[in-house]
Amino acid sequence: MKIDILSRSTTLYSTKRLLEEAKNAGHKARAINVLHCDIKLEKHKPSVYYHGERLPVPDAVIPRIGASITFYGTAIVRQFEMMNCFTTVSSQALVTSRDKLQSLQKLARSGVGMPKTVFTNFGEHTDEICEQVGGPPVVIKVLEGTQGIGVNLAESLEAADAL
């Protein structure tokens, strides 16, 4: 099987391990820096170019798309999907996973257990918001943060108000 791993660098631990394990399993695997890819849009002929050369369609792609390049990386994954290439993570799943609110809404709709969550655009009624989730301590998150950035623990109503 020919596998392309879409990653920004072969020095990333996860990318190295994926390459090693794919080769150990007898597959031909290579890392493709998604930022060096171009897509060609043409009627019924989707294609991806890498360093100016058209890529042959692999049997599968494994997206390793960082949050900072979600928009561009998702476009490349979507192009591979248009080429009927199997992908371990769909372009739509990538977009959804980067949207905290949409992810929580889908999890709640599917019946997945999760902490009570309130989404608001009006932070002046902090006491009411905290009451809706059972009172302090509460976790307050911004929608745009990743990897723990923008996550705060408020031990009291006063701390929640300050945040």
Side-chain angles (χ1 to χ4, degrees), residues 85-121:
C85 180
F86 173 80
T87 178
T88 57
V89 180
S90 73
S91 58
Q92 187 56 49
L94 281 168
V95 170
T96 301
S97 72
R98 300 296 159 71
D99 184 330
K100 288 180 191 177
L101 180 60
Q102 184 181 12
S103 295
L104 289 172
Q105 288 171 318
K106 287 185 178 225
L107 289 169
R109 182 179 61 206
S110 297
V112 174
M114 55 194 264
K116 290 179 187 175
T117 302
V118 173
F119 174 73
T120 185
N121 189 39

Side-chain angles (χ1 to χ4, degrees), residues 5 7 22 53 61 63 68 74 100 111 116 120 133 136 153 161 163:
I5 299 169
S7 176
E53 293 191 28
V61 294
S68 65
T74 299
K100 288 180 191 177
K116 290 179 187 175
T120 185
V133 296
L153 176 63
D161 231 6
L163 287 169

